[in-house]
Amino acid sequence: MTSPYPAGSGSCNHGRVPVYRDEGVVLRTTPLAEADRIITVLTRRTGRVRAVAKGVRKTTSRFGSRLEPGTYVDLMLHSGRSLDTVTQADIISPYGTTIALDYARHTAAAVMLETAERLTSEEREPALRLFLLLVGGLRTLAAGERPPALVLDAYLLRSLAVSGYGMALDDCARCGEPGQHLSLTVGGGGVVCAQCRPHGAASVSAGAVRLLTDLLRGDWDGALRSDLRARREAGGIVAAYLQWHLERGLRALPHLERA
Amino acid sequence: MYEGIVQDLIDELGRLPGIGPKSAQRIAFHLLAADPVDVRRLAVALTEVKEKVRFCRSCFNVAQAELCRICADPRRDQTLICVVEEPKDVVAIERTREFRGLYHVLGGAINPIGGVGPDDLHIRELVARLADGTVSELILATDPNTEGEVTASYLARQIGPMGLRVTRLASGLPMGGDLEWADEVTLGRAFEGRRVVGA
């Protein structure tokens, strides 16, 4: 479908109906009435928006598979009072459909999509860095060249960091003492030194801290050298850290397959 | 706000899917104006559906006895099972008159964001049905969307080692449409599933 508006042209009024074009990743779909769906999309410029896709559940819908969760799409939308309406959609990359062919990758993608929705608590608040992280994470998952659990953990650590919940891994989260610390508290924001170690802090292995650091920095050579035990430990820490900061459990997380 | 039982009726109708407050009010006043015989017939149908309809113990389709009409029919091919998400999918496939085997209704599709995992569906019961070796082919007819694809790939992974033939319904271009409107994924699937004609 071609649009008369160049990408990034922002909003256009036509004199009556506000129309805008943006690109985004479909986070979630909810059935509406007989054949429609409400589509939640994290867009590049507008942030998270919810829009109605009319007739999308019919097999003859012109939208086809364009508005499936995890799909990176170019959208034309009509602004509405509470919900926008999708008028045109073009696939940029069908990440969701590719990922759906593998159960483990799909469960990792589901956690990514739900996290992106939860970290963008306000609709229409631009969140470019979260959007770019999500596109990058889905692209890596779809390529299938790296372990899905590591891709997910890297995405979660970085998304939390850009949202202001970065995990302290190099210095003590409380006093800033540099060095390798092997105690961690999710509520305290990361690793803590022996002096600051609160009651109930967890002991972590050096391998897990190193892996978390590599994932946060995007050092894939280092991350891929980690052993299975460090990966399991780091995965548990990231999940606990995520749920602590989101305050409410993610529905997709119990279904994550870390095999 | 109306008084007493009229408002109760509006409130109850408003709890149905797709019925908003205005629609509930319109239906309530339609029922008030309707012939009492018609309204009683509706009331009996509503009561009976809850009292008499249950799920087939074999395939989980809606039934009025222990087994549904299809599972109880000895003329159906016992070596074929078609896996669908909902009972309405059974009706859709039966309308084609192309399939003479049995069904298995999962009760939904895997949707981690919606909190639905494999343990929430009738997958364990499906594996148990396949254990006696009667079934030679399992047809995966879950919806052609992300949840349906994930469910199909999960089932294929679980059931593949059992040694029976596992197939997926073809997907591609819908009849009555124009090629230029097809999305990349659908068109790609149509190319993958192309067949020889005139041979």
Side-chain angles (χ1 to χ4, degrees):
Chain A
M1 285 184 225
T2 53
S3 158
Y5 308 102
S9 61
S11 64
C12 158
N13 201 315
H14 279 304
R16 284 182 301 130
V17 186
V19 179
Y20 66 99
R21 181 176 174 180
D22 209 336
E23 58 186 60
V25 174
V26 179
L27 301 179
R28 173 197 292 272
T29 65
T30 315
L32 178 72
E34 289 281 313
D36 309 338
R37 279 198 183 117
I38 296 174
I39 314 288
T40 305
V41 194
L42 179 59
T43 63
R44 179 184 283 272
R45 285 177 292 277
T46 322
R48 181 165 60 83
V49 295
R50 292 193 311 142
V52 175
K54 291 185 177 165
V56 71
R57 283 152 68 196
K58 293 180 184 170
T59 52
T60 51
S61 165
R62 66 201 161 96
F63 292 124
S65 71
R66 293 178 176 99
L67 298 174
E68 287 295 306
T71 310
Y72 181 21
V73 275
D74 185 359
L75 294 169
M76 181 72 86
L77 301 120
H78 269 194
S79 277
R81 220 176 271 171
S82 60
L83 292 170
D84 297 349
T85 304
V86 181
T87 58
Q88 291 182 41
D90 254 334
I91 293 177
I92 297 173
S93 287
Y95 297 132
T97 321
T98 311
I99 291 167
L101 300 174
D102 181 283
Y103 184 68
R105 282 196 277 161
H106 175 76
T107 58
V111 175
M112 281 185 182
L113 297 175
E114 192 178 0
T115 303
E117 185 175 2
R118 294 283 293 281
L119 287 175
T120 50
S121 52
E122 292 292 320
E123 284 187 21
R124 298 184 185 284
E125 284 281 325
L128 179 62
R129 293 174 77 189
L130 282 174
F131 168 79
L132 294 173
L133 277 172
L134 182 62
V135 172
L138 291 173
R139 185 190 302 127
T140 313
L141 266 187
E145 290 163 357
R146 289 172 182 160
L150 287 188
V151 177
L152 172 66
D153 289 339
Y155 165 80
L156 294 176
L157 284 169
R158 292 194 220 171
S159 295
L160 285 164
V162 301
S163 302
Y165 307 117
M167 189 188 283
L169 293 165
D170 297 325
D171 309 323
C172 171
R174 288 198 166 176
C175 68
E177 174 73 21
Q180 191 182 53
H181 308 299
L182 298 179
S183 297
L184 187 139
T185 159
V186 288
V191 294
V192 283
C193 66
Q195 282 72 38
C196 297
R197 189 181 202 272
H199 183 69
S203 296
V204 286
S205 67
V209 174
R210 196 164 44 247
L211 174 58
L212 289 168
T213 309
D214 289 341
L215 292 173
L216 189 57
R217 289 179 183 158
D219 179 357
W220 278 101
D221 290 336
L224 291 171
R225 278 196 298 270
S226 61
D227 59 28
L228 198 59
R229 194 173 153 200
R231 291 182 188 185
R232 279 207 191 114
E233 193 180 348
I237 292 167
V238 173
Y241 194 75
L242 174 74
Q243 304 233 53
W244 172 273
H245 287 291
L246 292 181
E247 294 179 350
R248 201 156 40 91
L250 286 178
R251 298 179 83 177
L253 205 51
H255 303 290
L256 176 65
E257 193 174 79
R258 281 195 174 271
Chain B
M1 290 288 283
Y2 297 89
E3 284 185 11
I5 52 175
V6 175
Q7 187 59 43
D8 289 348
L9 177 62
I10 293 171
D11 290 345
E12 289 305 316
L13 289 168
R15 289 169 59 184
L16 297 173
I19 308 285
K22 284 282 177 200
S23 301
Q25 186 177 304
R26 189 161 44 82
I27 296 167
F29 279 96
H30 170 79
L31 292 173
L32 279 175
D35 189 327
V37 176
D38 292 341
V39 178
R40 196 168 302 280
R41 199 167 53 240
L42 174 65
V44 168
L46 285 172
T47 314
E48 281 194 337
V49 82
K50 283 311 285 180
E51 284 174 358
K52 294 182 180 171
V53 174
R54 59 179 98 172
F55 292 101
C56 171
R57 71 173 159 79
S58 178
C59 74
F60 298 95
N61 190 8
V62 286
Q64 290 189 45
E66 282 246 316
L67 288 176
C68 69
R69 182 180 51 80
I70 296 168
C71 287
D73 185 348
R75 292 168 299 174
R76 305 288 299 212
D77 187 345
Q78 308 286 317
T79 65
L80 285 177
I81 289 185
C82 179
V83 181
V84 295
E85 292 181 15
E86 303 287 351
K88 58 185 166 60
D89 301 327
V90 173
V91 177
I93 294 173
E94 283 296 286
R95 276 204 307 262
T96 66
R97 296 168 189 262
E98 291 281 333
F99 180 67
R100 298 297 303 157
L102 304 175
Y103 292 92
H104 190 88
V105 181
L106 294 172
I110 294 172
N111 178 11
I113 295 182
V116 182
D119 294 342
D120 301 306
L121 307 174
H122 298 300
I123 293 176
R124 213 173 295 127
E125 293 87 343
L126 173 63
V127 174
R129 273 182 89 181
L130 302 174
D132 67 0
T134 311
V135 177
S136 59
E137 182 176 352
L138 192 73
I139 302 163
L140 304 175
T142 49
D143 287 346
N145 55 30
T146 305
E147 285 97 32
E149 286 297 317
V150 173
T151 309
S153 62
Y154 180 84
L155 286 173
R157 195 182 71 174
Q158 296 296 107
I159 289 159
M162 295 176 82
L164 70 162
R165 188 165 180 246
V166 181
T167 56
R168 177 91 172 105
L169 282 193
S171 68
L173 299 169
M175 288 298 290
D178 286 3
L179 197 76
E180 64 164 316
W181 292 101
D183 64 275
E184 293 87 327
V185 175
T186 308
L187 200 50
R189 294 271 170 93
F191 264 98
E192 277 174 25
R194 69 188 186 277
R195 60 191 167 86
V196 177
V197 289

